[in-house]
Amino acid sequence: MGRNLVAEVSEALRNRNQIENLRRSMLHMRDKKDAAMIDYTEKKLAELREIRYSSISSIEENVRELKEKLEENGCNFYFAKTAKDACEYVVSLAKAKGVKRIVKAKSMTAEEIELNKWLTAHGFEVVETDLGEWLVQLAGQRPSHLITPAIHLSRHDISKLIEEKLMVKLPADPKEITRFARSFLRDKFLRADMGITGANLLVAETGSLVIVTNEGNGRLVTALPRIHVAIVGVEKLVKSWKDAVRVLDVLPKSATGQKMATYVTVLNAGSETPSPDGGFIKRELHLVLLDNGRLDAARDSIISDALNCIRCSACFNVCPTYRVLGGHVFGYIYSGPIGIPWTYISHGLENAADYAPLCISCGLCRETCPIGIDIPMMISEIKRRYGERKGYPWVDRRLAGYEGLLRLACRTSPLSNFLSSTSVSRWVLEKLIGIDRRVKLPRFSRRTLRDLAEGLIVSHGGSEGKVVYFADSMAYYVDTDVGLATIDVLQRNGFDVVMPPQKGSGMPSFLYGLLEHTKKVAEYNVRHAYEYVSKGYDLVSAEPTAAYCFRFIYPRLLESKEAYDVAERSYELFGYLSMMLDRGALDLRFRRYKDVKAVYHIPCHSRRLSKDKPVLKFLEMLGIETEFIDYGCCGMGGTWGMKRGYEGYEVSRVIAEPLTSAISESDADFVVTECSLCKIQIERFADKKVFHPVLLLDKAYKGLPLP
């Protein structure tokens, strides 16, 4: 790979101020977005998705209509196949028109084609006028975020930067900094010959450019210079104003938590401006419509999903690795989760694969995306394409085959449990497999769950409730008490339970891009589950990641009727029990507890499976006083958090810090979470015991004290 990712990650983790800035900012933006979108119905989101999918599927038709309308409006239209074509057009235009000074509004498309380098190389003065863009230009950096380019800089960093670069001493006060920037940039606006912008939308039916800003600089860039150049990707095209309004409704809510952006500018042609010599001068408007890999991506069955992005950056707010590393490490020119497929589209596989290993497939980006873009699937596919071309890292291949290691450890449990507790053995594991020596491995069961459950699974005869129980690897080989409790709770509620042949969910191989292996696992698990699902059984798993695989990953990989049928009837355990509770079909004869406090951590994959947090409902029913601490992902990422050093463990540890610190400081008696790997992560960095909620419910049904 072209970058030394380990060195970059190591340096980023030492920058504690930046980590705290990012964490605080991302959590604030996440909460604002969630509050603004709380009443945005699933129906509206579905309509928005359909608009985006329809727009991408009819790109070529929309381009033809847009070109006709723009030319009718007296505008200049240029279709740029490549980044070089776009830059050459702008440079040639600037030279032909005698341009000397250029002002720019924030545009990631201009960043994508590295337009500033071209313009400055040809002697033009180029000034960014968005405050964040201006600051990163002053610092000689690139934006680290889609909509807040300087989010990695604190107010103290900014004050110091202005003093160093402009010899102006300012207090670290945002108001004073903004006041200075406004004064500094005003002269640049007034003396500029050309203004360059992007656009948030292009409306084909009227030939309109729509620019959304909060600072107002976009209007000055388009209204003061005599030439306006807009550089816009073809994916920004929508057919009609009806479609555009739908996008404009959700964009500010999902991006900044605003009901509406401060400025929405619509341009159909170059406006007229008073001439110093009297009369009016008509401004020129040039639209450079950019391909640069987009049309090829539109024909790619997986990567085409990235073109649906509306650039709200909601995925940045929740991404665990972005929160601690920032966009200069977790990015190329485009950063954040959606930046990986966009880097692939615009700058190729190698540049995307350079930082794709930092994605831990938590799925939070897909969960928060208003379009529902399957970012984890695209990233996994990019890892696959790079792995097939260049080879997969040894550690990834070994950890993707985790189930074989678990099976061996289970068969030799007395020896494996002893060896895993010694420093020498952990050193050997680090060298041979890549598991960081600081990782405390779980204790393996002498007998598998199937061995222990033999004779316990009893048919109820004519029971209406029929359940396929999918244990997944940890409950099968390690946390067998969770598996037994799940079977007991389901049977206690009258369900016929079967446990057909099954392999682990395959999530680690999906995480590392070994999709052929994931597909084989999916085929095996779906085939055996479908035998029962086709007879009216539901599939239930107490492991959220396993249910997530059945519901969302297997259908995408297999695209078979069987996979879709199984997906429709796949549930996470407590989501399923909650559904039974709502139907009045749940046995409520269980013990209630007093004076017990717990902290609840919701696993990432549970968020998409059970949006109403059913575990909290059951803990309340059990009488357990529960504090919900929500910092997002715990950082484990399955086996990713076990990987050696800065390639996994170190980043995982820093991601976990705010969550595990809050847990350690709480007065809770224990922690509750459904995920077996979240349990490992929390127990290794916090001083609390962690329990699966089914263990608590099983104890309550039996009238026993809590563990």
Side-chain angles (χ1 to χ4, degrees), residues 226 298 485 642 704:
R226 54 190 168 89
M642 298 181 178
L704 298 174

Side-chain angles (χ1 to χ4, degrees), residues 311-330:
R311 300 295 201 277
C312 70
S313 78
C315 57
F316 287 60
N317 303 340
V318 296
C319 176
T321 41
Y322 178 88
R323 279 186 185 176
V324 300
L325 299 178
H328 291 154
V329 177
F330 194 62

Side-chain angles (χ1 to χ4, degrees), residues 1 386-387 390-402 405 427-435 508-509 512 514 639 643-644 647:
M1 292 189 182
Y386 189 81
K390 299 289 187 177
Y392 294 92
W394 168 254
V395 62
D396 292 358
R397 297 186 73 92
R398 295 308 304 143
L399 292 177
Y402 70 104
L405 299 173
W427 180 86
V428 171
L429 282 174
E430 182 175 282
K431 296 301 179 183
L432 292 182
I433 300 177
I435 297 176
S509 56
Y512 301 124
L514 288 134
T639 60
K643 290 173 68 175
R644 176 177 52 229
E647 298 176 6

Side-chain angles (χ1 to χ4, degrees), residues 72-121:
E72 285 178 16
N73 296 342
C75 303
N76 299 277
F77 175 88
Y78 178 71
F79 183 82
K81 181 65 179 172
T82 66
K84 181 182 177 184
D85 293 341
C87 291
E88 286 180 343
Y89 179 88
V90 178
V91 168
S92 297
L93 175 65
K95 286 181 176 179
K97 300 295 182 177
V99 169
K100 294 181 180 178
R101 293 168 293 273
I102 300 171
V103 288
K104 290 176 73 254
K106 188 175 76 64
S107 167
M108 280 306 302
T109 309
E111 292 286 345
E112 171 191 327
I113 64 177
E114 299 184 271
L115 179 61
N116 285 7
K117 288 183 179 180
W118 279 74
L119 292 170
T120 54

Side-chain angles (χ1 to χ4, degrees), residues 502-685:
Q502 52 191 253
K503 296 181 178 180
S505 67
M507 177 54 87
S509 56
F510 178 83
L511 164 64
Y512 301 124
L514 288 134
L515 293 185
E516 290 306 313
H517 179 264
T518 317
K519 191 172 181 179
K520 290 177 182 177
V521 170
E523 287 170 342
Y524 183 91
N525 287 334
V526 167
R527 183 171 72 253
H528 287 286
Y530 183 73
E531 180 183 344
Y532 291 92
V533 168
S534 63
K535 298 173 184 176
Y537 282 71
D538 295 322
L539 185 142
V540 175
S541 181
E543 187 68 62
T545 296
Y548 184 91
C549 286
F550 274 100
R551 184 82 69 83
F552 302 115
I553 293 178
Y554 291 176
R556 284 294 307 273
L557 290 177
L558 301 181
E559 295 187 329
S560 66
K561 177 185 183 300
E562 292 80 5
Y564 285 111
D565 286 352
V566 172
E568 284 184 11
R569 302 194 71 154
S570 294
Y571 302 91
E572 183 184 19
L573 175 62
F574 276 85
Y576 191 70
L577 294 177
S578 180
M579 188 168 65
M580 295 302 109
L581 176 66
D582 292 342
R583 294 175 183 174
L586 203 68
D587 183 354
L588 301 180
R589 294 171 296 172
F590 46 71
R591 178 177 176 179
R592 271 66 173 180
Y593 298 92
K594 294 181 180 180
D595 302 321
V596 180
K597 293 183 178 181
V599 165
Y600 174 56
H601 166 69
I602 183 170
C604 295
H605 293 137
S606 291
R607 293 173 187 265
R608 185 159 179 80
L609 291 161
S610 305
K611 293 181 182 294
D612 59 347
K613 306 178 185 66
V615 170
L616 287 174
K617 184 192 304 184
F618 277 85
L619 292 174
E620 182 181 358
M621 290 167 60
L622 291 174
I624 298 172
E625 182 182 338
T626 307
E627 179 184 5
F628 175 41
I629 297 178
D630 188 11
Y631 282 98
C633 181
C634 74
M636 187 63 170
T639 60
W640 188 87
M642 298 181 178
K643 290 173 68 175
R644 176 177 52 229
Y646 291 106
E647 298 176 6
Y649 182 90
E650 289 292 349
V651 177
S652 177
R653 177 181 59 82
V654 178
I655 292 170
E657 281 177 354
L659 172 66
T660 54
S661 294
I663 288 172
S664 295
E665 292 167 7
S666 77
D667 62 350
D669 299 300
F670 51 80
V671 181
V672 178
T673 190
E674 306 99 289
C675 176
S676 57
L677 277 300
C678 291
K679 174 182 185 292
I680 291 174
Q681 179 82 328
I682 293 168
E683 286 189 338
R684 74 184 181 183
F685 293 129

